[in-house]
Amino acid sequence: MSDATKAVLEGGPDDLPERIVFVLTPGLDIKVALRGGYEHFRATTRQQATSQGLSPVYEWWERTELPG
């Protein structure tokens, strides 16, 4: 198993496939591929209780489209 931790994604599209994701480097932005683009999330100073303990919260801040 890796040293990944779980993070909670807040905001962004309602149809994100997951709201709790693994993150390898806490604190760095997370990008999630969705519908021909990427949803970008930034770390906050907040944490949220999950079934596996406290997890950092990342807030949605932008979407980028893939060319084509």
Side-chain angles (χ1 to χ4, degrees), residues 41-61:
F41 295 83
R42 286 192 171 158
T44 70
T45 58
R46 296 181 288 121
Q47 293 190 333
Q48 182 174 317
T50 67
S51 61
Q52 298 184 354
L54 286 177
S55 295
V57 174
Y58 284 68
E59 288 181 325
W60 181 88
W61 67 280

Side-chain angles (χ1 to χ4, degrees), residues 1-49:
M1 187 75 184
S2 70
D3 290 333
T5 187
K6 289 191 175 180
V8 178
L9 302 181
E10 194 174 81
D14 290 336
D15 61 342
L16 276 177
E18 300 290 332
R19 287 291 174 171
I20 298 177
V21 298
F22 284 104
V23 59
L24 294 175
T25 308
L28 294 182
D29 290 356
I30 295 172
K31 77 178 179 181
V32 177
L34 183 69
R35 291 185 268 112
Y38 290 101
E39 304 301 330
H40 298 263
F41 295 83
R42 286 192 171 158
T44 70
T45 58
R46 296 181 288 121
Q47 293 190 333
Q48 182 174 317

